[in-house]
Amino acid sequence: MKFVIAFAILSTVGFEPLLLANPPDNSEVVNSSKEKIRRQREAVIKARKDAQAAATAREKEEALARAKEETTAIVDTGNEHPKEPAVQFEAAGALASLGEHQKSLPFSYNVIRDMPERPEGYRLAAISLSALGEHKSANALGTALPTVTLPS
């Protein structure tokens, strides 16, 4: 009888609350994605160095195409995990460090959305906005930073 009542309640309420109560452990997936972004960033750096050292125009063009592909791969990896702030932060940081500030901004904003109490997203967004010449917007983000009370 208890089973029938429990099933009746779950069928009315739905099974979703049970799934949300025990979310799956994503740490392995998150760590794997972060590592993937780090490798992709290193591949972009290597391809850019290869382009600088290229002996011919064709070699330079091929190296720059590889760099562009790896940059796109960073964006794709970040987009695979839109609700994982750690992956979003890694993508934002990698893209900002590569000078891809316009591509970095959406990931920075996602970090701010998901972790508004942490300054990392604000900092990355402000860096990218400043690099894009949006100094007023970057300054506004600085004033939006959460205040931290240190223990006495």
Side-chain angles (χ1 to χ4, degrees):
M1 182 71 172
K2 290 179 185 178
F3 176 75
V4 173
I5 294 171
F7 184 75
I9 292 171
L10 285 175
S11 62
T12 340
V13 177
F15 290 97
E16 192 171 288
L18 289 177
L19 296 175
L20 296 177
N22 296 315
D25 182 18
N26 280 7
S27 61
E28 196 172 307
V29 172
V30 168
N31 289 335
S32 170
S33 295
K34 287 169 53 177
E35 185 59 36
K36 184 177 178 182
I37 289 171
R38 289 183 194 119
R39 284 192 312 270
Q40 290 163 334
R41 179 183 171 276
E42 292 303 317
V44 172
I45 292 170
K46 183 183 181 321
R48 287 180 178 175
K49 285 180 182 178
D50 290 348
Q52 289 177 341
T56 66
R58 182 181 175 145
E59 288 175 353
K60 182 176 183 174
E61 194 176 294
E62 289 172 355
L64 291 175
R66 277 196 329 272
K68 186 176 180 179
E69 285 174 20
E70 290 297 336
T71 303
T72 302
I74 292 171
V75 172
D76 292 343
T77 302
N79 286 336
E80 289 172 6
H81 305 283
K83 298 291 184 188
E84 293 292 343
V87 176
Q88 297 292 298
F89 179 73
E90 196 70 39
L95 291 165
S97 72
L98 294 169
E100 299 287 345
H101 298 287
Q102 191 67 43
K103 293 177 182 175
S104 173
L105 276 174
F107 296 109
S108 300
Y109 291 145
N110 287 344
V111 174
I112 293 169
R113 178 199 66 212
D114 294 338
M115 299 184 344
E117 72 284 355
R118 301 287 305 266
E120 292 91 346
Y122 296 91
R123 187 186 75 231
L124 278 172
I127 289 168
S128 291
L129 286 168
S130 290
L132 294 169
E134 299 288 335
H135 302 293
K136 286 184 181 180
S137 297
N139 193 32
L141 273 176
T143 58
L145 273 169
T147 55
V148 176
T149 307
L150 298 174
S152 50

